[in-house]
Amino acid sequence: MKINPKSEYRNSKQCSNTQNSNAQNNDCRDRILFCPYNSNIKTFEHSDLFRISCFVLRIFVVLFIFSSVAFAEDKPAVPTSGELLVKAWEAHGNKDIEGTFKYTNQVIELYGAEADKQQAGLTAMPKARPDIEAVQSLNDVATAYFIQAESYRDQGKYDESIGVFKTVIDKYSYGQAWDQRGWFWSLAKAAQESIDKAIGTVPAVPPRETPADKKRVSQLPTRIVLYDPGKEDFVDYEQYGEFQNAGTKDYKYVVKNQEGLIAAAGEGIYPNSTSVRWDPEFKKALKEGRLEGSPWDFMHSPDLEAAFLKWATCSEPQGVKLFYTGLILEKAGLVKHALKCYYAIVVHFPGAYGWTYWHTPWYVGQAAIAKINFLLKENTGLGYRLSGADIRVTNGYDNDISNDIVIASPGKFVKKGLLEKFKFKQDTSLLSVKRRLGKGKVHLLQYETGDWQLIVEQKPYIIKGITYAPTKVGQSPDNNTLGNWMEEDSNNNGKADGPYDAFVDKNRNNLQDKDEPALGDFKLMKEMGVNTIRLYHHPLKIKKEVLRELYSNYGIRVIIGDFLGKYAIGSGAPWNPGTDYNNPEQKKNMLLTVTEMVLEHKDEPYLLFWLLGNENVYGYACNADKDPDAFFKFVNEAALLIKSLDPEHPVAIGNGDILFLDKFGKDAPDIDIFGTNAYRGNYGFGRIWRQVKEEADRPVFITEFGCPASAEGKNTEEVEELQAQYHRAAWEDIEHNTAFSGGEGNAIGGIVFEWLDEWWKAYEPGLHDTKGLWAGPFPDGFMHEEWLGMSGQGDGKLSPFLRQLRKSYYTYKKLWR
């Protein structure tokens, strides 16, 4: 959940750039003076007066030097651009025009020359975070101009505003700002949107385009016809080599019949690196110029043939190369060949890794196994399952790959037996309980089989949840306009707008027709099958009467959370550097807010359980990423406090994927449930269930997962279908791993993110932005965070009432009901 409660804490854009340390060189030079000595002047050489004079002079010189140094140290250091921008954003937010221009002009004056050099040295927008941070002066100077343009706009000086926005677009087109919600955003694009949307008084000025920005791949949809599909659909690797030391860190596959393996695997599958180049279509594509550019330019091209040929012949690391070749084959419907791609990773390159947008390691082999299992489940007609395959990465829960130990078992494909087609329901009355967490009406049971269940009022409960934060178009925490949905009553009928007055725009004409009565979100969510929503008790006040009605009238319970210092909420720390989990005063403040939360809601019938944190380990405005042990120990302290106040409800954590999972298992034994925000792709959540079992042995629920209903090059129908497919796969993976369902048995449900599109996530709250915010496993390779809703708000003119239900809504309606 990417939020930024500016109503209590600083606007995320105020800390949008990492501070740099471009301190100017001090031009002072130490000068050492010596007493004159000349052996030819004997008269003065031994003169007492002369020796005294020299001694006094030395003292004077030393004192002068020390006083000079002390004076120099008293001089104020040259402020970093980051420090100046923090002050500039604060002044801008407070409508302090003089301060706004004072600090932004300082940034421009001190760092403008370096920014110009960095812009001139680029040929394309930097994508990886280290590359973006390497041009910090460019980023900060562009931000300074951007702030000035906003200030002019807010003063009604549109000509001046447009002129400065054009400076950002024309002169600093590669400048980016860091948003503390977790991504970099293009200042030139935001400047253009401000001209188009907020001003709209002059023709648009497009951002400067370079040859590197242009798409150099064909946009004609094509299909793939394999020149060499290989002799085997499921390669029998034992016929061509030997698996050695399977299940250990010394695993390897030794090829003994290279020629036979090449022939069995076919085109594009390691070690077959030659048959692609003999493919007539490859030669044709080369001649037509369809293979020019980076393989990454081809990832989401509709020219699937060119994409396959490009990736199959590129120089990327073999594990990464095989994975993305497999993805393209999947898109083309060549499932068997895709399976061979993925399994080749497991056999030959189990320790392969790549880097995410966030510069965290991505273990390709684990993802490959998850892909294989997903494709075999989706294509039951193949009649196979992958048995015994597993890749475990010891020390693989941080960002340091140097100490990783890869333990691999390749497993093998086996034909499914007849009984595997049937599911048998487990009679839990015949099983003994191994472990119980919690004493009250809501508790957790682990059976002798290792499976976990959440028990609510003596019945198993699977969390079918959704994040509910309906935000009116135009509102944003970035400009202090975010309202409280529990209190907003735009039509003055005495009821909250979204929960009770929302209507479904069935024909999507952005009007409320006569046959489209007000139904309210609560009713729509109940019909969808939702039984749980997730809320935080701060910074906006919770109205308990609304939640009481939600539960009593619609049967929907509430998971209530405390941010535990994330975004500096509750700790009393400034946004920069944020919450410090070693600071006694800040810890005291956070425990106080936890106590207030528990005492406020512990006896309410709507409460399901407590949730601590929200991706704190990613480190935005807190130091959990730098000192995870301190963070998890403090989480455990907070859990013990909650249990002393309320023994009736369990306590969960809201982690960021599985980052520092091993430390969680060691440091937080009193957390009952491991919750995690996870965006893994259209195949579910991979090995996450087994990893929690290995490191912590706690029940698991996905606190946040989702997929945008926006993708470049896709129309509304296509992208809503892709969103629905993503959600179906995610939920089926959760369901498969619930107790006695054939998986790991520790899943207890999940929280869909989210109910309604929020238009403020990509900066301009009055514009439904379609630009990708960060690279990830989504339909076009980018997260479009303003489009995550099961429902949209149409053109926004009838917000907060209009709802356009997407296909994913009806997918869940079928899955959950």
Side-chain angles (χ1 to χ4, degrees):
M1 181 191 301
K2 308 295 187 291
I3 73 157
N4 178 35
K6 188 185 171 188
S7 56
E8 184 174 343
Y9 299 92
R10 186 184 305 137
N11 181 340
S12 66
K13 293 195 294 296
Q14 292 169 354
C15 294
S16 57
N17 291 287
T18 307
Q19 293 185 11
N20 61 36
S21 57
N22 296 335
Q24 303 297 310
N25 291 328
N26 195 321
D27 201 28
C28 295
R29 297 287 186 270
D30 288 342
R31 295 174 174 83
I32 301 177
L33 301 180
F34 296 92
C35 289
Y37 174 84
N38 188 330
S39 59
N40 293 322
I41 308 179
K42 305 287 184 179
T43 308
F44 292 98
E45 183 178 354
H46 302 290
S47 164
D48 290 340
L49 179 62
F50 182 77
R51 287 198 301 271
I52 293 170
S53 299
C54 270
F55 178 74
V56 172
L57 180 60
R58 284 191 181 107
I59 293 175
F60 173 78
V61 169
V62 169
L63 289 174
F64 175 79
I65 292 171
F66 277 113
S67 64
S68 299
V69 171
F71 178 75
E73 289 177 350
D74 287 340
K75 286 184 179 180
V78 175
T80 68
S81 55
E83 292 168 341
L84 291 170
L85 283 179
V86 168
K87 295 177 180 179
W89 278 117
E90 287 176 341
H92 180 47
N94 294 328
K95 301 189 184 304
D96 175 5
I97 297 171
E98 182 180 351
T100 297
F101 281 85
K102 171 186 173 182
Y103 296 121
T104 52
N105 282 330
Q106 281 186 270
V107 173
I108 294 166
E109 180 181 348
L110 290 171
Y111 301 98
E114 180 64 20
D116 292 344
K117 290 180 184 178
Q118 291 177 351
Q119 170 74 21
L122 295 173
T123 58
M125 184 79 79
K127 294 181 180 179
R129 183 168 177 176
D131 296 334
I132 298 171
E133 292 175 344
V135 290
Q136 199 63 53
S137 292
L138 165 61
N139 297 333
D140 292 348
V141 169
T143 302
Y145 277 114
F146 187 89
I147 295 171
Q148 289 187 352
E150 283 200 331
S151 180
Y152 280 129
R153 180 195 62 191
D154 294 348
Q155 297 173 59
K157 298 179 179 179
Y158 295 124
D159 289 341
E160 292 92 333
S161 178
I162 293 170
V164 180
F165 275 135
K166 285 182 180 180
T167 298
V168 176
I169 295 167
D170 296 336
K171 192 174 180 181
Y172 301 109
S173 60
Y174 297 135
Q176 298 179 74
W178 170 250
D179 190 310
Q180 293 288 351
R181 294 189 287 271
W183 56 77
F184 286 94
W185 48 281
S186 167
L187 288 155
K189 286 185 177 180
Q192 186 63 59
E193 288 166 2
S194 292
I195 292 174
D196 295 342
K197 184 71 178 177
I199 302 171
T201 59
V202 297
V205 179
R208 183 166 68 98
E209 187 180 55
T210 69
D213 295 322
K214 296 178 180 177
K215 293 190 175 179
R216 293 173 290 182
V217 295
S218 169
Q219 293 298 302
L220 297 175
T222 58
R223 65 192 184 96
I224 301 172
V225 178
L226 294 172
Y227 167 72
D228 175 18
K231 293 183 177 181
E232 297 179 21
D233 290 338
F234 293 87
V235 178
D236 184 358
Y237 280 91
E238 291 178 329
Q239 294 293 317
Y240 310 104
E242 181 183 355
F243 295 114
Q244 296 181 356
N245 305 313
T248 76
K249 65 181 178 61
D250 299 316
Y251 160 79
K252 62 180 177 179
Y253 176 69
V254 179
V255 179
K256 296 186 175 180
N257 181 356
Q258 180 99 341
E259 185 176 343
L261 181 57
I262 287 173
E267 187 173 0
I269 313 297
Y270 183 87
N272 189 335
S273 60
T274 56
S275 62
V276 177
R277 299 185 183 277
W278 291 104
D279 189 333
E281 295 302 322
F282 175 73
K283 298 175 182 179
K284 180 182 176 183
L286 273 178
K287 186 177 180 180
E288 294 172 346
R290 288 162 54 212
L291 301 184
E292 294 178 8
S294 161
W296 300 102
D297 296 335
F298 291 74
M299 268 311 304
H300 301 284
S301 169
D303 188 345
L304 296 174
E305 181 180 72
F308 167 70
L309 295 171
K310 184 67 179 182
W311 269 97
T313 57
C314 75
S315 59
E316 291 291 328
Q318 281 289 350
V320 174
K321 173 180 174 178
L322 283 165
F323 190 88
Y324 286 105
T325 303
L327 279 180
I328 293 161
L329 289 165
E330 266 191 74
K331 291 181 182 179
L334 299 177
V335 174
K336 291 179 182 178
H337 216 58
L339 285 167
K340 286 197 283 187
C341 259
Y342 295 136
Y343 193 55
I345 300 169
V346 179
V347 171
H348 298 287
F349 310 104
Y353 64 88
W355 294 98
T356 69
Y357 173 84
W358 318 101
H359 204 64
T360 57
W362 166 59
Y363 297 106
V364 184
Q366 293 180 345
I369 291 175
K371 271 289 189 181
I372 291 168
N373 290 330
F374 170 72
L375 288 175
L376 291 175
K377 179 179 69 69
E378 292 291 296
N379 298 272
T380 55
L382 296 175
Y384 278 85
R385 61 180 172 86
L386 181 59
S387 176
D390 187 41
I391 298 172
R392 180 175 182 177
V393 184
T394 302
N395 302 323
Y397 299 108
D398 55 23
N399 297 332
D400 180 9
I401 61 169
S402 64
N403 62 351
D404 287 354
I405 300 172
V406 179
I407 301 169
S409 296
K412 63 188 301 183
F413 289 101
V414 297
K415 282 189 172 291
K416 285 186 175 180
L418 181 63
L419 292 178
E420 292 184 64
K421 298 179 181 179
F422 302 97
K423 289 185 178 181
F424 300 94
K425 189 174 181 180
Q426 177 73 48
D427 184 358
T428 58
S429 66
L430 301 176
L431 297 174
S432 62
V433 173
K434 175 182 175 181
R435 190 177 174 193
R436 174 173 174 149
L437 299 180
K439 302 176 182 178
K441 64 180 181 180
V442 182
H443 59 269
L444 297 136
L445 296 179
Q446 185 180 34
Y447 297 93
E448 59 184 291
T449 58
D451 297 68
W452 285 94
Q453 283 186 333
L454 175 65
I455 305 297
V456 179
E457 296 180 346
Q458 302 181 346
K459 294 180 181 179
Y461 188 101
I462 295 177
I463 300 165
K464 300 174 181 177
I466 200 160
T467 297
Y468 185 71
T471 304
K472 186 176 180 180
V473 169
Q475 292 184 352
S476 171
D478 294 339
N479 55 25
N480 280 329
T481 59
L482 186 65
N484 186 341
W485 64 264
M486 294 188 181
E487 298 176 338
E488 291 190 310
D489 179 17
S490 302
N491 55 7
N492 299 311
N493 66 352
K495 298 185 294 184
D497 293 332
Y500 301 106
D501 295 327
F503 72 93
V504 178
D505 180 18
K506 292 183 290 187
N507 58 8
R508 301 199 177 190
N509 66 351
N510 291 295
L511 299 172
Q512 184 172 12
D513 299 318
K514 291 182 179 179
D515 61 341
E516 296 172 345
L519 299 172
D521 289 334
F522 288 176
K523 179 177 175 59
L524 292 171
M525 288 193 297
K526 179 182 179 180
E527 292 177 352
M528 176 179 166
V530 172
N531 64 8
T532 310
I533 66 170
R534 170 190 172 192
L535 293 176
Y536 285 83
H537 78 107
H538 52 179
L540 301 177
K541 178 69 175 176
I542 287 179
K543 290 187 68 173
K544 293 195 288 187
E545 55 268 30
V546 174
L547 299 187
R548 288 168 184 162
E549 290 182 15
L550 175 67
Y551 175 66
S552 62
N553 295 340
Y554 303 96
I556 297 175
R557 297 177 184 268
V558 185
I559 296 170
I560 297 182
D562 186 287
F563 284 110
L564 213 65
K566 182 64 183 292
Y567 318 108
I569 298 178
S571 66
W575 182 282
N576 185 17
T579 301
D580 178 359
Y581 294 102
N582 292 298
N583 184 301
E585 187 65 28
Q586 293 179 22
K587 290 163 67 175
K588 179 182 176 182
N589 292 339
M590 288 184 280
L591 292 178
L592 179 61
T593 71
V594 168
T595 300
E596 292 171 349
M597 171 185 74
V598 175
L599 295 179
E600 178 85 6
H601 300 282
K602 69 184 183 70
D603 297 321
E604 294 295 337
Y606 51 74
L607 178 63
L608 183 61
F609 55 75
W610 308 105
L611 181 67
L612 293 175
N614 179 61
E615 298 178 344
N616 299 53
V617 290
Y618 291 153
Y620 310 133
C622 72
N623 70 344
D625 59 331
K626 298 176 181 63
D627 193 347
D629 285 305
F631 168 66
F632 286 121
K633 287 175 182 178
F634 179 66
V635 170
N636 201 68
E637 183 180 349
L640 289 171
L641 170 64
I642 291 174
K643 292 179 179 183
S644 71
L645 298 171
D646 174 29
E648 292 291 317
H649 301 92
V651 183
I653 191 172
N655 207 56
D657 209 278
I658 53 169
L659 194 57
F660 306 120
L661 174 61
D662 51 345
K663 294 184 181 295
F664 165 79
K666 173 174 64 77
D667 294 329
D670 295 292
I671 293 290
D672 303 307
I673 304 168
F674 181 78
T676 176
N677 294 359
Y679 293 83
R680 294 288 187 94
N682 66 351
Y683 58 88
F685 303 97
R687 201 177 182 274
I688 199 168
W689 317 103
R690 183 176 295 188
Q691 287 168 313
V692 177
K693 181 179 284 189
E694 290 169 347
E695 300 294 340
D697 195 16
R698 243 66 68 81
V700 186
F701 85 111
I702 309 299
T703 43
E704 185 180 309
F705 66 98
C707 175
S710 177
E712 184 179 356
K714 302 293 182 184
N715 62 35
T716 300
E717 183 178 354
E718 290 171 333
V719 77
E720 287 194 15
E721 173 62 28
L722 291 169
Q723 184 194 40
Q725 290 176 7
Y726 187 112
H727 275 281
R728 180 177 62 81
W731 183 257
E732 288 179 350
D733 189 38
I734 291 171
E735 197 170 49
H736 175 66
N737 286 283
T738 56
F740 319 117
S741 297
E744 296 298 330
N746 56 356
I748 59 171
I751 307 287
V752 171
F753 195 86
E754 59 183 321
W755 170 249
L756 187 67
D757 287 350
E758 296 180 88
W759 286 30
W760 61 271
K761 293 293 185 72
Y763 176 68
E764 188 65 59
L767 175 70
H768 206 186
D769 203 317
T770 57
K771 70 173 179 282
L773 296 179
W774 46 271
F778 305 107
D780 67 349
F782 289 92
M783 167 59 91
H784 300 265
E785 194 146 355
E786 293 192 356
W787 295 79
L788 286 166
M790 300 294 97
S791 174
Q793 301 199 60
D795 63 8
K797 293 178 180 177
L798 291 185
S799 178
F801 304 108
L802 182 142
R803 304 287 183 262
Q804 292 180 353
L805 300 179
R806 297 191 170 118
K807 186 170 183 178
S808 50
Y809 172 89
Y810 298 101
T811 297
Y812 277 112
K813 191 172 183 178
K814 182 177 180 181
L815 290 169
W816 284 353
R817 292 184 62 84

